[in-house]
Amino acid sequence: MNGTMSDATSDAVIEVRDVCYTYMRGTPLARQALTDVNVRINRGELVAIIGRTGSGKSTLIQHFNGLLKPDSGHVLVGGRDIWRKGVALRDIRRQVGLVFQYPEHQLFEETVVADIAFAPRNMGMSQANVDEAVREAMRVVDLDYDALCDRSPFELSGGQKRRVAIAGVLAMRPEVLVLDEPTAGMDPRGREEVLGEIRQLHEAHGYTIVLVSHSMEDVARFAERLVVMDGGTVAMEGSAREVFRRREELVNMGLGVPQVTALMAELAARGLPSTEDVITVDEALRALLPALLGASGRANEGEREGEVGA
Amino acid sequence: MEPVIRVENVSYTYDGGGPGEVEALLDVSLEVMGGEFVAVIGHNGSGKSTLAKHMNAIFVPTRGDVFVLGMNTRDESRLWDIRQTVGMVFQNPDNQIVATTVEEDVAFGPENLGVPPGEIRRRVDEALALVDMTGNEKSAPHMLSGGQKQRVAIAGVIAMRPRCIVLDEPTAMLDPVGRSEVLATVRRLASDEGIAVVHITHFMNEAVLADRVVVMEGGRIALRGTPREVFSQPAMLRSLDLDVPQVTELAYALRAAGAPLTRSPLTVAELADDVAAIVGVGRGGGQS
């Protein structure tokens, strides 16, 4: 998914500079949702935005493709200020594909193909190109074109419906895919299915991906960078490891850390010499096993399986 | 003690004999006692919601029986009593709010039951206190957070003085803070108020807090027991594509690799205790 960002001076696909935004500005109900926010999304990254409800996450991502216009500050997509005269927001919305929460609630066509084709057709793509775009989008999210094309989207499983909705955005061939809580309300099987799909889009198809998530376990597993929102500002930024090191601050923001990170912190507090930088189950296993086997070895030379697997 | 809910060998078929015939429940039996907090987990399509809808006669079984305080849900003359005994809370808080202020919303149920106004006032105040929403009487429900809305919905059910509350994925659309607010409320209803609580969820860390866990798969109960009994079978849960809490999974992997851990921990504190005891840090030590 390589774009043509001629006048881009950096690798940033999206840049939010000093953005402020107030809902219902000028009314007694005015509420400032973003204050001096600066965020950069680089090409090819998988970035997760975390923060509790009302922290400004959704407001922020609606600035990425010009659905909301900042009160002050700038939003650049591919190096261009999207609110400058002469920039067509339609192009921006194609470049930055936004998948809302519960996107399957917005499915409405009679067939899967018609639904996925809706946006590209609306943008004036030719029938042949639409057809190709739909097939490709379905292939990318692992939906079998021949089996599903004429089915009603409403008779699919939850995970499939959501993938149809994502395919509808992918069919516009965006450069960046922004997903607002893509696994919200799904059962564990559906969550794994959709997360696997997103990872695949990133790793195999090179998409730049931004996702809003409430699951610290999930973002620890595969986000390359985290942006932590709190009270309408960016409170932290960095790798999952860097961010989860600041456990107390996160807890004070109404967020948490993965259970294994909390475990290692708890053990460190009790005097177990170990790193607090553990963020996955595998890492915790490797960090704890030597001490546990050593201790049990001293206690009794019991039987032991050498395999360290998970 | 008589169970509040008794499900006996219940099978349920959607669209029986029709083209879309689906056997959603197969020979399911379950009892829920007053004060008990039972979590039901399982995938979409596993039969969880179908089971829940049997508990207040939204559905009646194709085969078998459901008794609510001894009343058979097939007995239409008892429908009113059954619905008053078992209250339901659903997934989407926005679909359950009917009034323009919190107190009117909570009063809606008892008003419909013909409860006298003075008594309604008392019930509304009590219910809001129970869900920790006192002070929000005059608030507009749509201005509340998801967790608050869901607690108002629960208060609306409590104001009808049910003996059992069935919650069908009440936390699915909430953020972690909202989820823990609702969970704390639900637990209190069981432990302090003696209400039988049936909590359907996709979140394993919520099931961990229950008195009993029921795992549904393909319309049957695949596994049941205390959280520790159920989550000590991660392989089984994984074969059903269900999650286990990270600490439970970690303990299982450590044990498989030879670490002398004995129990299946359900919380961070439990595993920390167990590890600390083995390696001899923190409190105690030496146990193996």
Side-chain angles (χ1 to χ4, degrees):
Chain A
M1 284 294 126
N2 282 320
T4 50
M5 295 293 96
S6 49
D7 53 348
T9 50
S10 68
D11 231 16
V13 192
I14 298 174
E15 261 187 283
V16 170
R17 290 187 188 160
D18 306 317
V19 161
C20 296
Y21 183 78
T22 304
Y23 282 104
M24 300 198 265
R25 191 156 58 124
T27 76
L29 296 173
R31 191 171 61 82
Q32 181 145 7
L34 295 178
T35 307
D36 293 327
V37 169
N38 286 282
V39 169
R40 248 174 91 112
I41 307 296
N42 296 314
R43 187 174 313 287
E45 267 191 315
L46 200 169
V47 179
I49 302 180
I50 61 178
R52 60 168 303 184
T53 303
S55 62
K57 307 181 303 285
S58 296
T59 307
L60 174 62
I61 64 173
Q62 289 179 62
H63 279 82
F64 287 173
N65 73 346
L67 280 180
L68 293 178
K69 184 177 183 180
D71 299 340
S72 59
H74 300 275
V75 177
L76 284 72
V77 171
R80 287 191 303 170
D81 187 329
I82 66 172
W83 293 104
R84 212 172 53 196
K85 259 207 176 73
V87 175
L89 280 178
R90 163 186 284 247
D91 293 342
I92 300 300
R93 299 208 173 121
R94 192 197 53 74
Q95 279 176 43
V96 180
L98 186 54
V99 180
F100 287 100
Q101 273 179 45
Y102 299 97
E104 65 276 15
H105 293 175
Q106 295 166 37
L107 299 173
F108 65 101
E109 284 279 8
E110 282 175 21
T111 67
V112 166
V113 161
D115 214 295
I116 298 172
F118 182 79
R121 182 169 294 142
N122 239 11
M123 291 187 338
M125 224 188 247
S126 73
Q127 183 54 48
N129 286 342
V130 168
D131 202 49
E132 176 50 36
V134 169
R135 281 174 184 272
E136 188 191 319
M138 287 183 72
R139 191 161 52 239
V140 167
V141 298
D142 283 326
L143 290 170
D144 184 340
Y145 183 93
D146 295 321
L148 296 176
C149 60
D150 292 329
R151 293 270 298 278
S152 160
F154 300 103
E155 30 179 78
L156 305 181
S157 74
Q160 285 177 321
K161 274 187 206 163
R162 201 159 287 190
R163 284 186 287 154
V164 169
I166 294 173
V169 173
L170 290 178
M172 294 192 294
R173 305 204 156 125
E175 289 160 42
V176 185
L177 190 62
V178 181
L179 305 108
D180 195 355
E181 285 188 62
T183 61
M186 305 195 84
D187 68 358
R189 191 179 283 154
R191 284 207 291 268
E192 276 312 308
E193 204 178 290
V194 166
L195 286 176
E197 225 47 75
I198 290 170
R199 179 183 254 178
Q200 169 91 355
L201 285 172
H202 175 62
E203 288 173 1
H205 300 272
Y207 273 94
T208 304
I209 292 182
V210 181
L211 60 89
V212 171
S213 176
H214 281 308
S215 166
M216 301 303 142
E217 276 82 12
D218 288 346
V219 302
R221 274 197 303 163
F222 65 86
E224 292 160 350
R225 200 155 59 84
L226 304 188
V227 173
V228 184
M229 297 291 296
D230 184 41
T233 62
V234 175
M236 298 181 201
E237 228 183 316
S239 67
R241 215 173 292 284
E242 288 162 353
V243 167
F244 289 138
R245 224 174 262 159
R246 299 164 69 177
R247 184 164 74 110
E248 280 184 20
E249 288 169 74
L250 288 167
V251 170
N252 287 337
M253 288 176 204
L255 298 171
V257 296
Q259 272 197 331
V260 290
T261 309
L263 172 75
M264 297 308 280
E266 173 68 28
L267 285 169
R270 296 187 190 192
L272 184 78
S274 75
T275 160
E276 279 190 39
D277 280 1
V278 162
I279 59 173
T280 66
V281 171
D282 282 349
E283 289 170 4
L285 180 65
R286 281 195 296 274
L288 288 176
L289 200 53
L292 285 171
L293 291 181
S296 72
R298 284 196 305 277
N300 63 335
E301 280 300 319
E303 85 281 44
R304 163 184 323 165
E305 295 167 43
E307 131 200 44
V308 179
Chain B
M1 194 163 69
E2 181 188 22
V4 180
I5 306 265
R6 197 164 84 236
V7 176
E8 279 185 3
N9 307 108
V10 163
S11 296
Y12 183 78
T13 308
Y14 282 103
D15 194 20
E21 178 172 305
V22 179
E23 292 207 290
L25 291 178
L26 289 156
D27 201 21
V28 170
S29 296
L30 178 70
E31 286 186 355
V32 186
M33 311 299 283
E36 210 185 8
F37 175 13
V38 177
V40 182
I41 60 178
H43 287 286
N44 297 336
S46 62
K48 304 185 304 294
S49 290
T50 308
L51 175 61
K53 291 186 175 98
H54 275 82
M55 294 180 179
N56 74 344
I58 294 176
F59 291 166
V60 290
T62 308
R63 285 186 304 280
D65 292 289
V66 176
F67 297 94
V68 171
L69 289 179
M71 298 176 277
N72 193 320
T73 59
R74 295 178 187 287
D75 183 352
E76 285 183 24
S77 68
R78 307 307 297 274
L79 190 60
W80 194 249
D81 297 325
I82 289 169
R83 295 260 163 93
Q84 220 175 309
T85 307
V86 182
M88 299 267 305
V89 176
F90 297 97
Q91 189 182 95
N92 190 339
D94 293 319
N95 294 347
Q96 299 173 71
I97 306 271
V98 293
T100 52
T101 68
V102 164
E103 61 182 5
E104 285 169 23
D105 195 77
V106 176
F108 181 79
E111 271 168 7
N112 272 358
L113 294 177
V115 175
E119 168 71 8
I120 290 181
R121 178 78 257 167
R122 220 161 50 82
R123 288 197 188 186
V124 168
D125 291 344
E126 248 178 53
L128 286 175
L130 270 176
V131 301
D132 211 5
M133 285 293 285
T134 303
N136 293 280
E137 289 80 2
K138 308 282 181 200
S139 304
H142 70 274
M143 299 298 279
L144 302 176
S145 74
Q148 289 174 322
K149 280 184 214 169
Q150 211 48 313
R151 284 185 287 149
V152 170
I154 294 172
V157 172
I158 293 172
M160 310 203 8
R161 298 273 165 85
R163 298 282 303 277
C164 174
I165 297 186
V166 178
L167 304 106
D168 194 355
E169 293 188 44
T171 56
M173 301 178 89
L174 306 182
D175 74 354
V177 175
R179 283 212 295 272
S180 56
E181 286 170 6
V182 168
L183 243 276
T185 302
V186 165
R187 286 183 69 185
R188 212 163 44 233
L189 292 179
S191 61
D192 299 358
E193 305 300 314
I195 295 174
V197 174
V198 178
H199 177 72
I200 297 180
T201 183
H202 287 315
F203 296 102
M204 302 307 144
N205 47 8
E206 295 179 359
V208 159
L209 301 171
D211 297 318
R212 224 149 37 93
V213 179
V214 171
V215 184
M216 299 284 300
E217 172 72 12
R220 295 174 195 277
I221 294 180
L223 206 58
R224 65 170 103 203
T226 63
R228 201 179 304 284
E229 286 162 359
V230 167
F231 290 111
S232 65
Q233 305 187 54
M236 169 74 172
L237 291 169
R238 228 171 285 140
S239 78
L240 299 174
D241 284 332
L242 292 169
D243 302 329
V244 290
Q246 274 196 334
V247 286
T248 313
E249 188 186 342
L250 174 61
Y252 185 77
L254 285 167
R255 203 162 36 217
L261 292 163
T262 46
R263 68 173 167 178
S264 286
L266 294 174
T267 63
V268 168
E270 283 184 3
L271 183 54
D273 282 347
D274 294 355
V275 170
I278 293 169
V279 302
V281 299
R283 57 174 154 141
Q287 155 201 341
S288 72

